[in-house]
Amino acid sequence: MNGNKLASSLFILGMLIGAVSIGYIGDSIGRRKTFTLNVFTLAIVTTASAFSPDWITFCSLRFFSEIGASGHFLITFVWGVEAAGNKYRVTCGFIYQIVYAAGSACLGVVAYFVRDWRVLQLLISIPIDTLLLEASNVYVLYRILPESIRWLITKKHYPQVKQFLLREIGRNEIHVPDYVLASRRGETRRNLENSPFGNISTIELSSVRAGSDYSRYLEKAKVESLADIFRSNILMVRLMIISMAWIAGVMGYYGITYSAGNLVGNFYINYGLSMQVLKLVEIPAYLLGMIVVEKIGRRPMLTCGLLVSGLCCLIAGLLPVEWASAKRVFSLIAKLFAACVTATLYSYTSELFPTFGRSAMVGLCSTCGRIGGILAPIISDWVTFGKKTDVHASIPFLVFATINILVGLLCFLLPETKMISFPATIKEANEMKPAFLANVLQAKYRKVEHQERH
């Protein structure tokens, strides 16, 4: 294996490990602590890469930097959308994608003018080093950037939640009625469920007092873990479908780029159009996708995006050789919809799973997407059987079309999450409005639950 392939392989491996491991750590110790530790690590290895004495050291640091980079995007994304209300969480998610696309475009411009790799590596490390200085400031980290309230509630840190809310109420000089933060114990007990103190997911914060019976009960209460998600039939079906959507979306996005060079005509025109034209319109495409998702919902955007992308790939693969320009146009349209699909997947995945496993599930699904990205060039090169004829050049488009259309139809089985609060528990996630197959499983789940209660 030559040096370039080794560096690329370690880069992809670090990407896969970072998406899963950082997500799990974020669900275990909290978003803020994970963010702080990750920023410190990422700043050190990114800056140190510029001073690598040899190729092995550079590849090793590149591996660890990608673990931190993929985890950094994941943890900040989940942290951000959890802080946003139901009305703005999709907007927040798409803004992350827009900033990511803008950063990629800026990197390309900087790399064009800065040809010395050590200087380029130092320039790349400036943003994360600046973030390190901010993360080192205790006031900035613990006053301006609070821990995710949803994560605190899921972990049953109610006194910290109440303390934060009271502080923010005073800082913003707003009036909150007493009944929002206070309730009579009698009212709480009307919601008796599995405990003598009512539903612990809806209990009011002011009723949690140190040393009280309820406080001692909370300490003994079972905290749901990541393993509980894998025990839920509904969530497992949901995870499999959304993982396939990630694979199809990312595979289509990168696969169309790699296959562009196989189209009839000039290689540089085909590849350049696929890369540069899309970069010019990717940000407007995200803005349009953000508006469409807010209007029609997550599931329609995901399913229609996959179907339209698949149909455009199908058309590009079936058009006659003489229609080279039309093939390029349909391949670009397919890639634009694939870009909207990948942006939608981040927000949609975070809304499908409970808070205590949200980062891990987004990381796991993102890892599946990376697998699709790895398979994309393999399909583009190997499916053509090593031949560059016009007929064989169309085969990758037909493969991507088939995968996108089939997965797009399968996504109709996912629940819609528009204007629905983030699920905090497995029960809340199971009760999200599902489609036919999930509805059957939900009925089975309720039947078993009813039998266990009686």
Side-chain angles (χ1 to χ4, degrees), residues 77 80-81 84-99 286-287 289-295 298 343-344 347-348 350-351 419 422:
F77 177 86
V81 296
N86 293 345
K87 184 178 179 181
Y88 300 106
R89 66 191 185 205
V90 169
T91 302
C92 179
F94 271 85
I95 287 176
Y96 272 88
Q97 301 294 334
I98 293 172
V99 173
Y286 285 148
L287 293 173
M290 180 172 59
I291 297 173
V292 173
V293 169
E294 289 288 2
K295 293 293 184 181
R298 285 65 157 161
T344 304
S347 298
Y348 193 27
S350 67
E351 297 171 343
M419 298 308 294
F422 276 123

PDB file of all heavy atoms in Angstrom, residues 77 80-81 84-99 286-287 289-295 298 343-344 347-348 350-351 419 422:
ATOM      1  N   PHE A  77     -23.686  19.187  16.627  1.00  0.00           N
ATOM      2  CA  PHE A  77     -24.985  19.139  15.958  1.00  0.00           C
ATOM      3  C   PHE A  77     -26.079  18.727  16.935  1.00  0.00           C
ATOM      4  O   PHE A  77     -27.117  19.391  17.044  1.00  0.00           O
ATOM      5  CB  PHE A  77     -24.930  18.154  14.783  1.00  0.00           C
ATOM      6  CG  PHE A  77     -26.243  17.981  14.079  1.00  0.00           C
ATOM      7  CD1 PHE A  77     -26.614  18.850  13.063  1.00  0.00           C
ATOM      8  CD2 PHE A  77     -27.127  16.969  14.437  1.00  0.00           C
ATOM      9  CE1 PHE A  77     -27.837  18.704  12.424  1.00  0.00           C
ATOM     10  CE2 PHE A  77     -28.338  16.818  13.802  1.00  0.00           C
ATOM     11  CZ  PHE A  77     -28.690  17.688  12.791  1.00  0.00           C
ATOM     12  N   GLY A  80     -26.697  21.357  19.545  1.00  0.00           N
ATOM     13  CA  GLY A  80     -27.409  22.515  19.015  1.00  0.00           C
ATOM     14  C   GLY A  80     -28.892  22.269  18.803  1.00  0.00           C
ATOM     15  O   GLY A  80     -29.730  23.084  19.193  1.00  0.00           O
ATOM     16  N   VAL A  81     -29.245  21.144  18.183  1.00  0.00           N
ATOM     17  CA  VAL A  81     -30.656  20.894  17.891  1.00  0.00           C
ATOM     18  C   VAL A  81     -31.444  20.621  19.174  1.00  0.00           C
ATOM     19  O   VAL A  81     -32.650  20.885  19.242  1.00  0.00           O
ATOM     20  CB  VAL A  81     -30.834  19.728  16.896  1.00  0.00           C
ATOM     21  CG1 VAL A  81     -30.231  20.082  15.554  1.00  0.00           C
ATOM     22  CG2 VAL A  81     -30.233  18.437  17.434  1.00  0.00           C
ATOM     23  N   ALA A  84     -32.393  24.000  20.554  1.00  0.00           N
ATOM     24  CA  ALA A  84     -33.414  24.706  19.781  1.00  0.00           C
ATOM     25  C   ALA A  84     -34.798  24.134  20.087  1.00  0.00           C
ATOM     26  O   ALA A  84     -34.948  22.953  20.396  1.00  0.00           O
ATOM     27  CB  ALA A  84     -33.123  24.591  18.288  1.00  0.00           C
ATOM     28  N   GLY A  85     -35.806  24.972  19.992  1.00  0.00           N
ATOM     29  CA  GLY A  85     -37.175  24.507  20.195  1.00  0.00           C
ATOM     30  C   GLY A  85     -37.670  23.730  18.990  1.00  0.00           C
ATOM     31  O   GLY A  85     -36.987  23.630  17.954  1.00  0.00           O
ATOM     32  N   ASN A  86     -38.865  23.174  19.117  1.00  0.00           N
ATOM     33  CA  ASN A  86     -39.438  22.394  18.013  1.00  0.00           C
ATOM     34  C   ASN A  86     -39.527  23.197  16.719  1.00  0.00           C
ATOM     35  O   ASN A  86     -39.381  22.654  15.620  1.00  0.00           O
ATOM     36  CB  ASN A  86     -40.831  21.891  18.396  1.00  0.00           C
ATOM     37  CG  ASN A  86     -40.784  20.881  19.523  1.00  0.00           C
ATOM     38  OD1 ASN A  86     -39.730  20.345  19.835  1.00  0.00           O
ATOM     39  ND2 ASN A  86     -41.923  20.638  20.156  1.00  0.00           N
ATOM     40  N   LYS A  87     -39.744  24.503  16.864  1.00  0.00           N
ATOM     41  CA  LYS A  87     -39.957  25.353  15.696  1.00  0.00           C
ATOM     42  C   LYS A  87     -38.669  25.580  14.910  1.00  0.00           C
ATOM     43  O   LYS A  87     -38.700  25.798  13.690  1.00  0.00           O
ATOM     44  CB  LYS A  87     -40.557  26.687  16.139  1.00  0.00           C
ATOM     45  CG  LYS A  87     -40.921  27.625  14.999  1.00  0.00           C
ATOM     46  CD  LYS A  87     -41.550  28.898  15.533  1.00  0.00           C
ATOM     47  CE  LYS A  87     -41.909  29.855  14.398  1.00  0.00           C
ATOM     48  NZ  LYS A  87     -42.513  31.112  14.916  1.00  0.00           N
ATOM     49  N   TYR A  88     -37.522  25.544  15.596  1.00  0.00           N
ATOM     50  CA  TYR A  88     -36.272  25.963  14.952  1.00  0.00           C
ATOM     51  C   TYR A  88     -35.241  24.842  14.804  1.00  0.00           C
ATOM     52  O   TYR A  88     -34.153  25.098  14.313  1.00  0.00           O
ATOM     53  CB  TYR A  88     -35.635  27.109  15.747  1.00  0.00           C
ATOM     54  CG  TYR A  88     -36.506  28.326  15.847  1.00  0.00           C
ATOM     55  CD1 TYR A  88     -37.158  28.647  17.037  1.00  0.00           C
ATOM     56  CD2 TYR A  88     -36.698  29.162  14.750  1.00  0.00           C
ATOM     57  CE1 TYR A  88     -37.964  29.763  17.138  1.00  0.00           C
ATOM     58  CE2 TYR A  88     -37.502  30.287  14.838  1.00  0.00           C
ATOM     59  CZ  TYR A  88     -38.132  30.583  16.036  1.00  0.00           C
ATOM     60  OH  TYR A  88     -38.930  31.686  16.127  1.00  0.00           O
ATOM     61  N   ARG A  89     -35.541  23.629  15.228  1.00  0.00           N
ATOM     62  CA  ARG A  89     -34.500  22.603  15.225  1.00  0.00           C
ATOM     63  C   ARG A  89     -34.111  22.183  13.813  1.00  0.00           C
ATOM     64  O   ARG A  89     -32.947  21.869  13.559  1.00  0.00           O
ATOM     65  CB  ARG A  89     -34.933  21.397  16.051  1.00  0.00           C
ATOM     66  CG  ARG A  89     -36.095  20.607  15.526  1.00  0.00           C
ATOM     67  CD  ARG A  89     -36.587  19.625  16.568  1.00  0.00           C
ATOM     68  NE  ARG A  89     -37.632  18.768  16.046  1.00  0.00           N
ATOM     69  CZ  ARG A  89     -38.554  18.180  16.800  1.00  0.00           C
ATOM     70  NH1 ARG A  89     -38.541  18.363  18.103  1.00  0.00           N
ATOM     71  NH2 ARG A  89     -39.461  17.394  16.262  1.00  0.00           N
ATOM     72  N   VAL A  90     -35.048  22.174  12.856  1.00  0.00           N
ATOM     73  CA  VAL A  90     -34.683  21.858  11.473  1.00  0.00           C
ATOM     74  C   VAL A  90     -33.829  22.976  10.886  1.00  0.00           C
ATOM     75  O   VAL A  90     -32.831  22.722  10.205  1.00  0.00           O
ATOM     76  CB  VAL A  90     -35.947  21.638  10.620  1.00  0.00           C
ATOM     77  CG1 VAL A  90     -35.586  21.577   9.140  1.00  0.00           C
ATOM     78  CG2 VAL A  90     -36.635  20.344  11.027  1.00  0.00           C
ATOM     79  N   THR A  91     -34.205  24.224  11.178  1.00  0.00           N
ATOM     80  CA  THR A  91     -33.403  25.362  10.731  1.00  0.00           C
ATOM     81  C   THR A  91     -31.990  25.260  11.273  1.00  0.00           C
ATOM     82  O   THR A  91     -31.009  25.476  10.550  1.00  0.00           O
ATOM     83  CB  THR A  91     -34.050  26.676  11.189  1.00  0.00           C
ATOM     84  OG1 THR A  91     -35.382  26.762  10.675  1.00  0.00           O
ATOM     85  CG2 THR A  91     -33.248  27.872  10.704  1.00  0.00           C
ATOM     86  N   CYS A  92     -31.890  24.931  12.551  1.00  0.00           N
ATOM     87  CA  CYS A  92     -30.583  24.770  13.179  1.00  0.00           C
ATOM     88  C   CYS A  92     -29.778  23.668  12.490  1.00  0.00           C
ATOM     89  O   CYS A  92     -28.589  23.836  12.210  1.00  0.00           O
ATOM     90  CB  CYS A  92     -30.766  24.460  14.667  1.00  0.00           C
ATOM     91  SG  CYS A  92     -29.232  24.193  15.573  1.00  0.00           S
ATOM     92  N   GLY A  93     -30.427  22.535  12.199  1.00  0.00           N
ATOM     93  CA  GLY A  93     -29.742  21.435  11.552  1.00  0.00           C
ATOM     94  C   GLY A  93     -29.238  21.779  10.166  1.00  0.00           C
ATOM     95  O   GLY A  93     -28.110  21.437   9.791  1.00  0.00           O
ATOM     96  N   PHE A  94     -30.043  22.492   9.382  1.00  0.00           N
ATOM     97  CA  PHE A  94     -29.627  22.867   8.033  1.00  0.00           C
ATOM     98  C   PHE A  94     -28.543  23.936   8.060  1.00  0.00           C
ATOM     99  O   PHE A  94     -27.692  23.986   7.163  1.00  0.00           O
ATOM    100  CB  PHE A  94     -30.831  23.345   7.217  1.00  0.00           C
ATOM    101  CG  PHE A  94     -31.542  22.238   6.488  1.00  0.00           C
ATOM    102  CD1 PHE A  94     -32.516  21.485   7.122  1.00  0.00           C
ATOM    103  CD2 PHE A  94     -31.226  21.942   5.181  1.00  0.00           C
ATOM    104  CE1 PHE A  94     -33.172  20.459   6.457  1.00  0.00           C
ATOM    105  CE2 PHE A  94     -31.875  20.925   4.500  1.00  0.00           C
ATOM    106  CZ  PHE A  94     -32.850  20.175   5.143  1.00  0.00           C
ATOM    107  N   ILE A  95     -28.573  24.813   9.055  1.00  0.00           N
ATOM    108  CA  ILE A  95     -27.515  25.826   9.169  1.00  0.00           C
ATOM    109  C   ILE A  95     -26.164  25.152   9.378  1.00  0.00           C
ATOM    110  O   ILE A  95     -25.140  25.592   8.840  1.00  0.00           O
ATOM    111  CB  ILE A  95     -27.835  26.806  10.317  1.00  0.00           C
ATOM    112  CG1 ILE A  95     -28.990  27.723   9.896  1.00  0.00           C
ATOM    113  CG2 ILE A  95     -26.607  27.636  10.694  1.00  0.00           C
ATOM    114  CD1 ILE A  95     -29.451  28.667  10.983  1.00  0.00           C
ATOM    115  N   TYR A  96     -26.152  24.071  10.159  1.00  0.00           N
ATOM    116  CA  TYR A  96     -24.917  23.311  10.327  1.00  0.00           C
ATOM    117  C   TYR A  96     -24.403  22.821   8.976  1.00  0.00           C
ATOM    118  O   TYR A  96     -23.191  22.871   8.695  1.00  0.00           O
ATOM    119  CB  TYR A  96     -25.155  22.112  11.247  1.00  0.00           C
ATOM    120  CG  TYR A  96     -24.964  22.406  12.707  1.00  0.00           C
ATOM    121  CD1 TYR A  96     -26.008  22.883  13.481  1.00  0.00           C
ATOM    122  CD2 TYR A  96     -23.731  22.208  13.321  1.00  0.00           C
ATOM    123  CE1 TYR A  96     -25.844  23.158  14.828  1.00  0.00           C
ATOM    124  CE2 TYR A  96     -23.550  22.482  14.662  1.00  0.00           C
ATOM    125  CZ  TYR A  96     -24.609  22.954  15.418  1.00  0.00           C
ATOM    126  OH  TYR A  96     -24.444  23.235  16.736  1.00  0.00           O
ATOM    127  N   GLN A  97     -25.297  22.330   8.128  1.00  0.00           N
ATOM    128  CA  GLN A  97     -24.884  21.841   6.815  1.00  0.00           C
ATOM    129  C   GLN A  97     -24.369  22.984   5.941  1.00  0.00           C
ATOM    130  O   GLN A  97     -23.406  22.819   5.183  1.00  0.00           O
ATOM    131  CB  GLN A  97     -26.059  21.139   6.129  1.00  0.00           C
ATOM    132  CG  GLN A  97     -26.616  19.960   6.893  1.00  0.00           C
ATOM    133  CD  GLN A  97     -25.633  18.813   7.000  1.00  0.00           C
ATOM    134  OE1 GLN A  97     -24.757  18.655   6.163  1.00  0.00           O
ATOM    135  NE2 GLN A  97     -25.764  18.018   8.040  1.00  0.00           N
ATOM    136  N   ILE A  98     -25.003  24.142   6.031  1.00  0.00           N
ATOM    137  CA  ILE A  98     -24.574  25.301   5.241  1.00  0.00           C
ATOM    138  C   ILE A  98     -23.177  25.749   5.660  1.00  0.00           C
ATOM    139  O   ILE A  98     -22.314  26.029   4.817  1.00  0.00           O
ATOM    140  CB  ILE A  98     -25.590  26.449   5.397  1.00  0.00           C
ATOM    141  CG1 ILE A  98     -26.923  26.060   4.742  1.00  0.00           C
ATOM    142  CG2 ILE A  98     -25.050  27.742   4.789  1.00  0.00           C
ATOM    143  CD1 ILE A  98     -28.039  27.046   5.011  1.00  0.00           C
ATOM    144  N   VAL A  99     -22.948  25.803   6.975  1.00  0.00           N
ATOM    145  CA  VAL A  99     -21.629  26.194   7.472  1.00  0.00           C
ATOM    146  C   VAL A  99     -20.577  25.173   7.043  1.00  0.00           C
ATOM    147  O   VAL A  99     -19.448  25.533   6.672  1.00  0.00           O
ATOM    148  CB  VAL A  99     -21.659  26.337   9.009  1.00  0.00           C
ATOM    149  CG1 VAL A  99     -20.262  26.578   9.560  1.00  0.00           C
ATOM    150  CG2 VAL A  99     -22.577  27.484   9.414  1.00  0.00           C
ATOM    151  N   TYR A 286     -29.539  23.878   0.145  1.00  0.00           N
ATOM    152  CA  TYR A 286     -29.813  23.643   1.559  1.00  0.00           C
ATOM    153  C   TYR A 286     -30.882  24.613   2.074  1.00  0.00           C
ATOM    154  O   TYR A 286     -31.755  24.234   2.858  1.00  0.00           O
ATOM    155  CB  TYR A 286     -28.536  23.800   2.387  1.00  0.00           C
ATOM    156  CG  TYR A 286     -27.571  22.642   2.254  1.00  0.00           C
ATOM    157  CD1 TYR A 286     -26.202  22.845   2.345  1.00  0.00           C
ATOM    158  CD2 TYR A 286     -28.026  21.347   2.025  1.00  0.00           C
ATOM    159  CE1 TYR A 286     -25.308  21.784   2.225  1.00  0.00           C
ATOM    160  CE2 TYR A 286     -27.144  20.290   1.901  1.00  0.00           C
ATOM    161  CZ  TYR A 286     -25.790  20.513   2.000  1.00  0.00           C
ATOM    162  OH  TYR A 286     -24.907  19.467   1.877  1.00  0.00           O
ATOM    163  N   LEU A 287     -30.799  25.864   1.639  1.00  0.00           N
ATOM    164  CA  LEU A 287     -31.804  26.850   2.065  1.00  0.00           C
ATOM    165  C   LEU A 287     -33.189  26.454   1.563  1.00  0.00           C
ATOM    166  O   LEU A 287     -34.179  26.541   2.305  1.00  0.00           O
ATOM    167  CB  LEU A 287     -31.433  28.244   1.544  1.00  0.00           C
ATOM    168  CG  LEU A 287     -30.166  28.869   2.147  1.00  0.00           C
ATOM    169  CD1 LEU A 287     -29.826  30.165   1.420  1.00  0.00           C
ATOM    170  CD2 LEU A 287     -30.363  29.131   3.633  1.00  0.00           C
ATOM    171  N   GLY A 289     -34.101  23.384   0.754  1.00  0.00           N
ATOM    172  CA  GLY A 289     -34.478  22.172   1.480  1.00  0.00           C
ATOM    173  C   GLY A 289     -34.989  22.477   2.868  1.00  0.00           C
ATOM    174  O   GLY A 289     -35.929  21.830   3.347  1.00  0.00           O
ATOM    175  N   MET A 290     -34.394  23.464   3.529  1.00  0.00           N
ATOM    176  CA  MET A 290     -34.836  23.854   4.863  1.00  0.00           C
ATOM    177  C   MET A 290     -36.280  24.342   4.839  1.00  0.00           C
ATOM    178  O   MET A 290     -37.086  23.995   5.705  1.00  0.00           O
ATOM    179  CB  MET A 290     -33.913  24.947   5.407  1.00  0.00           C
ATOM    180  CG  MET A 290     -34.255  25.459   6.788  1.00  0.00           C
ATOM    181  SD  MET A 290     -32.953  26.564   7.408  1.00  0.00           S
ATOM    182  CE  MET A 290     -32.955  27.855   6.145  1.00  0.00           C
ATOM    183  N   ILE A 291     -36.628  25.125   3.822  1.00  0.00           N
ATOM    184  CA  ILE A 291     -38.000  25.632   3.704  1.00  0.00           C
ATOM    185  C   ILE A 291     -38.970  24.497   3.392  1.00  0.00           C
ATOM    186  O   ILE A 291     -40.063  24.414   3.974  1.00  0.00           O
ATOM    187  CB  ILE A 291     -38.064  26.716   2.604  1.00  0.00           C
ATOM    188  CG1 ILE A 291     -37.185  27.909   2.993  1.00  0.00           C
ATOM    189  CG2 ILE A 291     -39.501  27.150   2.366  1.00  0.00           C
ATOM    190  CD1 ILE A 291     -37.056  28.950   1.904  1.00  0.00           C
ATOM    191  N   VAL A 292     -38.562  23.612   2.488  1.00  0.00           N
ATOM    192  CA  VAL A 292     -39.439  22.507   2.092  1.00  0.00           C
ATOM    193  C   VAL A 292     -39.693  21.565   3.268  1.00  0.00           C
ATOM    194  O   VAL A 292     -40.832  21.114   3.493  1.00  0.00           O
ATOM    195  CB  VAL A 292     -38.824  21.739   0.901  1.00  0.00           C
ATOM    196  CG1 VAL A 292     -39.637  20.482   0.593  1.00  0.00           C
ATOM    197  CG2 VAL A 292     -38.766  22.638  -0.322  1.00  0.00           C
ATOM    198  N   VAL A 293     -38.651  21.250   4.039  1.00  0.00           N
ATOM    199  CA  VAL A 293     -38.807  20.353   5.183  1.00  0.00           C
ATOM    200  C   VAL A 293     -39.764  20.944   6.197  1.00  0.00           C
ATOM    201  O   VAL A 293     -40.594  20.237   6.783  1.00  0.00           O
ATOM    202  CB  VAL A 293     -37.430  20.064   5.827  1.00  0.00           C
ATOM    203  CG1 VAL A 293     -37.597  19.360   7.162  1.00  0.00           C
ATOM    204  CG2 VAL A 293     -36.594  19.196   4.901  1.00  0.00           C
ATOM    205  N   GLU A 294     -39.667  22.257   6.427  1.00  0.00           N
ATOM    206  CA  GLU A 294     -40.569  22.902   7.377  1.00  0.00           C
ATOM    207  C   GLU A 294     -42.013  22.871   6.889  1.00  0.00           C
ATOM    208  O   GLU A 294     -42.944  22.807   7.689  1.00  0.00           O
ATOM    209  CB  GLU A 294     -40.135  24.354   7.620  1.00  0.00           C
ATOM    210  CG  GLU A 294     -38.850  24.490   8.415  1.00  0.00           C
ATOM    211  CD  GLU A 294     -39.032  24.142   9.881  1.00  0.00           C
ATOM    212  OE1 GLU A 294     -40.148  23.748  10.277  1.00  0.00           O
ATOM    213  OE2 GLU A 294     -38.062  24.253  10.642  1.00  0.00           O
ATOM    214  N   LYS A 295     -42.200  22.901   5.576  1.00  0.00           N
ATOM    215  CA  LYS A 295     -43.552  22.945   5.020  1.00  0.00           C
ATOM    216  C   LYS A 295     -44.188  21.559   4.931  1.00  0.00           C
ATOM    217  O   LYS A 295     -45.346  21.372   5.344  1.00  0.00           O
ATOM    218  CB  LYS A 295     -43.521  23.590   3.623  1.00  0.00           C
ATOM    219  CG  LYS A 295     -43.157  25.055   3.623  1.00  0.00           C
ATOM    220  CD  LYS A 295     -44.222  25.905   4.294  1.00  0.00           C
ATOM    221  CE  LYS A 295     -43.885  27.383   4.206  1.00  0.00           C
ATOM    222  NZ  LYS A 295     -44.902  28.224   4.881  1.00  0.00           N
ATOM    223  N   ARG A 298     -40.430  15.939   7.474  1.00  0.00           N
ATOM    224  CA  ARG A 298     -39.147  15.258   7.276  1.00  0.00           C
ATOM    225  C   ARG A 298     -39.282  14.045   6.366  1.00  0.00           C
ATOM    226  O   ARG A 298     -38.505  13.859   5.431  1.00  0.00           O
ATOM    227  CB  ARG A 298     -38.585  14.787   8.628  1.00  0.00           C
ATOM    228  CG  ARG A 298     -38.007  15.879   9.483  1.00  0.00           C
ATOM    229  CD  ARG A 298     -39.024  16.864   9.940  1.00  0.00           C
ATOM    230  NE  ARG A 298     -38.638  17.569  11.142  1.00  0.00           N
ATOM    231  CZ  ARG A 298     -39.187  18.713  11.512  1.00  0.00           C
ATOM    232  NH1 ARG A 298     -40.114  19.289  10.767  1.00  0.00           N
ATOM    233  NH2 ARG A 298     -38.812  19.291  12.634  1.00  0.00           N
ATOM    234  N   ALA A 343     -28.624  16.240   4.236  1.00  0.00           N
ATOM    235  CA  ALA A 343     -28.874  17.296   5.224  1.00  0.00           C
ATOM    236  C   ALA A 343     -30.106  16.971   6.064  1.00  0.00           C
ATOM    237  O   ALA A 343     -30.127  17.200   7.278  1.00  0.00           O
ATOM    238  CB  ALA A 343     -29.051  18.640   4.528  1.00  0.00           C
ATOM    239  N   THR A 344     -31.139  16.432   5.424  1.00  0.00           N
ATOM    240  CA  THR A 344     -32.362  16.072   6.146  1.00  0.00           C
ATOM    241  C   THR A 344     -32.116  14.926   7.116  1.00  0.00           C
ATOM    242  O   THR A 344     -32.692  14.879   8.206  1.00  0.00           O
ATOM    243  CB  THR A 344     -33.468  15.678   5.147  1.00  0.00           C
ATOM    244  OG1 THR A 344     -33.677  16.744   4.224  1.00  0.00           O
ATOM    245  CG2 THR A 344     -34.779  15.374   5.870  1.00  0.00           C
ATOM    246  N   SER A 347     -31.022  15.883  10.827  1.00  0.00           N
ATOM    247  CA  SER A 347     -32.108  16.369  11.680  1.00  0.00           C
ATOM    248  C   SER A 347     -33.133  15.275  11.956  1.00  0.00           C
ATOM    249  O   SER A 347     -33.591  15.111  13.097  1.00  0.00           O
ATOM    250  CB  SER A 347     -32.803  17.565  11.007  1.00  0.00           C
ATOM    251  OG  SER A 347     -31.912  18.640  10.836  1.00  0.00           O
ATOM    252  N   TYR A 348     -33.479  14.517  10.930  1.00  0.00           N
ATOM    253  CA  TYR A 348     -34.512  13.494  11.066  1.00  0.00           C
ATOM    254  C   TYR A 348     -34.065  12.386  12.020  1.00  0.00           C
ATOM    255  O   TYR A 348     -34.827  11.940  12.884  1.00  0.00           O
ATOM    256  CB  TYR A 348     -34.816  12.917   9.686  1.00  0.00           C
ATOM    257  CG  TYR A 348     -36.074  12.075   9.603  1.00  0.00           C
ATOM    258  CD1 TYR A 348     -37.134  12.283  10.478  1.00  0.00           C
ATOM    259  CD2 TYR A 348     -36.212  11.089   8.626  1.00  0.00           C
ATOM    260  CE1 TYR A 348     -38.294  11.519  10.385  1.00  0.00           C
ATOM    261  CE2 TYR A 348     -37.368  10.326   8.527  1.00  0.00           C
ATOM    262  CZ  TYR A 348     -38.401  10.545   9.410  1.00  0.00           C
ATOM    263  OH  TYR A 348     -39.544   9.793   9.332  1.00  0.00           O
ATOM    264  N   SER A 350     -31.943  12.550  14.483  1.00  0.00           N
ATOM    265  CA  SER A 350     -31.912  13.029  15.864  1.00  0.00           C
ATOM    266  C   SER A 350     -33.290  13.084  16.490  1.00  0.00           C
ATOM    267  O   SER A 350     -33.418  13.062  17.719  1.00  0.00           O
ATOM    268  CB  SER A 350     -31.269  14.425  15.911  1.00  0.00           C
ATOM    269  OG  SER A 350     -32.085  15.390  15.268  1.00  0.00           O
ATOM    270  N   GLU A 351     -34.335  13.133  15.662  1.00  0.00           N
ATOM    271  CA  GLU A 351     -35.699  13.223  16.178  1.00  0.00           C
ATOM    272  C   GLU A 351     -36.368  11.861  16.356  1.00  0.00           C
ATOM    273  O   GLU A 351     -37.443  11.785  16.952  1.00  0.00           O
ATOM    274  CB  GLU A 351     -36.553  14.075  15.230  1.00  0.00           C
ATOM    275  CG  GLU A 351     -36.090  15.512  15.117  1.00  0.00           C
ATOM    276  CD  GLU A 351     -36.808  16.271  14.024  1.00  0.00           C
ATOM    277  OE1 GLU A 351     -37.430  15.630  13.151  1.00  0.00           O
ATOM    278  OE2 GLU A 351     -36.755  17.504  14.033  1.00  0.00           O
ATOM    279  N   MET A 419     -43.075  19.017  14.162  1.00  0.00           N
ATOM    280  CA  MET A 419     -43.732  19.662  15.305  1.00  0.00           C
ATOM    281  C   MET A 419     -43.996  18.683  16.448  1.00  0.00           C
ATOM    282  O   MET A 419     -44.930  18.868  17.228  1.00  0.00           O
ATOM    283  CB  MET A 419     -45.030  20.352  14.876  1.00  0.00           C
ATOM    284  CG  MET A 419     -44.845  21.472  13.872  1.00  0.00           C
ATOM    285  SD  MET A 419     -43.609  22.689  14.404  1.00  0.00           S
ATOM    286  CE  MET A 419     -44.441  23.393  15.830  1.00  0.00           C
ATOM    287  N   PHE A 422     -38.880  16.231  20.968  1.00  0.00           N
ATOM    288  CA  PHE A 422     -37.895  15.164  21.025  1.00  0.00           C
ATOM    289  C   PHE A 422     -38.357  14.094  22.009  1.00  0.00           C
ATOM    290  O   PHE A 422     -38.737  14.408  23.135  1.00  0.00           O
ATOM    291  CB  PHE A 422     -36.545  15.701  21.507  1.00  0.00           C
ATOM    292  CG  PHE A 422     -35.707  16.303  20.420  1.00  0.00           C
ATOM    293  CD1 PHE A 422     -35.266  17.610  20.516  1.00  0.00           C
ATOM    294  CD2 PHE A 422     -35.345  15.564  19.302  1.00  0.00           C
ATOM    295  CE1 PHE A 422     -34.477  18.171  19.520  1.00  0.00           C
ATOM    296  CE2 PHE A 422     -34.560  16.115  18.307  1.00  0.00           C
ATOM    297  CZ  PHE A 422     -34.129  17.424  18.421  1.00  0.00           C
TER     298      PHE A 422
END
